């Protein structure tokens, strides 16, 4: 799986997690997570909401997967497969 998918999985499970902690769980740098979150937000896969000084992330599970091979499936399908 890609780091983008890993970040989606973590944010879906823990939407209020700070990106530093996402980086630790995924095993990449915080800067890499920031770029991935920006990509995911620009592509319409997540929504970020400012809550006080923190961010709350919502994974938009009805969005189709990007790759043409998986485009008939959505993010929710992937998350169900991974999380059971």
């Amino acid at each position: 799986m890609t780091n983008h998918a890993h970040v989606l999985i973590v944010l879906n499970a823990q939407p209020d997690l700070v990106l530093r902690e996402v980086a630790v769980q995924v095993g990449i740098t915080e800067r890499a997570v920031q770029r991935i979150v920006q990509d995911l937000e620009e592509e319409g896969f997540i929504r970020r909401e400012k809550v006080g000084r923190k961010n709350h992330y919502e994974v938009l599970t009805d969005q189709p997967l990007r790759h043409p091979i998986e485009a008939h499936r959505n993010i929710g399908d992937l998350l169900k497969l991974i999380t059971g």
Side-chain angles (χ1 to χ4, degrees):
M1 293 182 65
T2 67
N3 286 335
H4 282 66
H6 291 139
V7 170
L8 274 175
I9 292 165
V10 171
L11 290 177
N12 187 65
Q14 298 173 297
D16 297 314
L17 206 58
V18 295
L19 296 185
R20 179 172 54 289
E21 290 299 319
V22 174
V24 169
Q25 288 192 31
V26 175
I28 58 178
T29 66
E30 184 177 354
R31 183 72 182 128
V33 172
Q34 290 170 348
R35 284 191 304 270
I36 289 170
V37 166
Q38 183 178 356
D39 288 348
L40 294 172
E41 194 171 19
E42 288 173 0
E43 294 289 327
F45 294 117
I46 62 171
R47 185 177 299 133
R48 180 185 351 205
E49 178 185 352
K50 195 78 165 160
V51 179
R53 293 178 52 192
K54 292 186 173 188
N55 289 318
H56 174 84
Y57 298 93
E58 177 187 2
V59 176
L60 305 175
T61 56
D62 59 337
Q63 294 297 316
L65 297 172
R66 288 194 289 193
H67 196 281
I69 293 174
E70 296 101 15
H72 66 287
R73 297 292 187 172
N74 62 36
I75 292 172
D77 295 331
L78 174 65
L79 293 171
K80 285 178 199 169
L81 178 66
I82 300 302
T83 60

